[in-house]
Amino acid sequence: MRLLAWVDGRVVEASELRLPRPYVMQRIHTLEGVAYNLEAHIDVLRRESENKFGFASVIGVKDAERIISRLVELSFVGGRFSVPVVMRLDSSASLSFEVESPTFGCGGYMRAKRDIGVVLAMNAPTSVAQTSASVALDEMANCQVKMHGGNSAVWVDAEGNLISRPWCPIFVYYKGAWFTPSEHESVEYGVVARAIEKVGQRLLVRDIPEWALELIDEMFVADIMGITSYASIKNHRLLSSVTTRIATVMEPKI
């Protein structure tokens, strides 16, 4: 395995990729060299770069498909497991694609490791796409809750209501229905919403107060590669059987 990156037409080792300037990004799910939901990812990246930097990438879907497919092939990551590829556009208009390590899943799946959530007061994000700032903030939040025995920060706002991030939307299951605090225009949210619809369940967008987390049955977050279910929140143990059903129909499926 030799992970590679493409930077403005040059192919380099991913370990040599330098990101000195602010950027916006999208993580893309690839399987057997195919990039899923690529047009939607490019659209999000364009809109957010215009908002943040005043310009957008001119790359089209066909060119992006060609670059991603070739990078995955040259990285020798194999075709059996899903591989994330990160597309970034920085403040100097430099475009890059980076192949990350393969997952242990083939298509959308639920990770075997379940998280222990700890509530943390945060501010709701203002961007649909991840940015260099949000990546650092997410990492800091998860590090911050480790001292309290958790490994995943569950964000709440100043009023004590659950926060959902577009690139990591959160969903809770209670009395036969799924709830989420926000509807997002992100690919990640759309993948989960379609999966919930496929299994014939309801998804309701509602404010979710912190105290309600001690009553819910299940909770999970999703990224572009799959689902992470919570084992507990606020000393309240959670199940994952209904979450597993959602994961079985998540895109992509071969």
Side-chain angles (χ1 to χ4, degrees):
M1 185 168 62
R2 179 182 174 224
L3 302 181
L4 299 175
W6 181 98
V7 185
D8 293 332
R10 297 181 299 109
V11 175
V12 300
E13 300 281 347
S15 59
E16 298 175 5
L17 181 63
R18 300 293 179 262
L19 304 166
R21 289 176 287 273
Y23 60 79
V24 293
M25 63 172 270
Q26 288 283 278
R27 292 181 82 230
I28 300 161
H29 192 136
T30 78
L31 183 57
E32 297 181 343
V34 177
Y36 286 83
N37 299 302
L38 185 55
E39 184 174 4
H41 281 299
I42 290 175
D43 183 60
V44 170
L45 193 78
R46 283 175 177 163
R47 285 188 281 114
E48 290 300 324
S49 63
E50 285 178 340
N51 182 45
K52 297 290 188 298
F53 307 138
F55 59 81
S57 171
V58 296
I59 194 164
V61 174
K62 293 297 183 183
D63 286 337
E65 286 176 339
R66 175 180 52 80
I67 293 167
I68 291 170
S69 177
R70 187 59 174 158
L71 274 182
V72 171
E73 178 185 356
L74 293 175
S75 293
F76 299 110
V77 289
R80 181 180 178 186
F81 296 113
S82 293
V83 180
V85 174
V86 181
M87 175 174 58
R88 298 183 180 91
L89 184 68
D90 75 16
S91 59
S92 69
S94 177
L95 179 68
S96 64
F97 294 85
E98 179 188 1
V99 179
E100 296 185 330
S101 297
T103 68
F104 294 102
C106 179
Y109 76 111
M110 188 173 82
R111 297 174 177 90
K113 182 179 180 297
R114 301 178 65 205
D115 278 355
I116 297 172
V118 174
V119 170
L120 186 67
M122 301 289 287
N123 294 318
T126 58
S127 173
V128 176
Q130 286 179 278
T131 68
S132 47
S134 74
V135 170
L137 188 60
D138 287 349
E139 184 176 358
M140 178 64 75
N142 288 335
C143 286
Q144 194 172 336
V145 299
K146 288 182 179 178
M147 71 178 74
H148 302 292
N151 54 12
S152 177
V154 176
W155 292 27
V156 298
D157 61 21
E159 285 72 44
N161 291 318
L162 198 62
I163 294 173
S164 180
R165 290 159 285 167
W167 53 88
C168 188
I170 191 164
F171 301 85
V172 303
Y173 187 72
Y174 178 66
K175 290 189 175 180
W178 287 100
F179 295 85
T180 188
S182 304
E183 183 176 3
H184 302 297
E185 295 181 347
S186 63
V187 176
E188 293 86 344
Y189 180 90
V191 167
V192 174
R194 289 191 292 273
I196 290 174
E197 184 179 4
K198 283 181 182 178
V199 299
Q201 294 178 334
R202 293 185 300 160
L203 174 59
L204 305 174
V205 180
R206 300 284 190 276
D207 286 341
I208 302 172
E210 179 183 340
W211 58 261
L213 298 179
E214 299 183 82
L215 305 175
I216 62 175
D217 302 310
E218 302 187 20
M219 181 168 70
F220 73 83
V221 291
D223 57 35
I224 201 58
M225 303 308 292
I227 280 175
T228 301
S229 175
Y230 283 87
S232 64
I233 179 75
K234 298 174 71 68
N235 296 318
H236 174 53
R237 296 199 61 81
L238 298 168
L239 304 173
S240 62
S241 58
V242 187
T243 302
T244 301
R245 291 179 58 197
I246 304 301
T248 60
V249 298
M250 277 185 65
E251 305 167 357
K253 281 287 180 286
I254 299 298

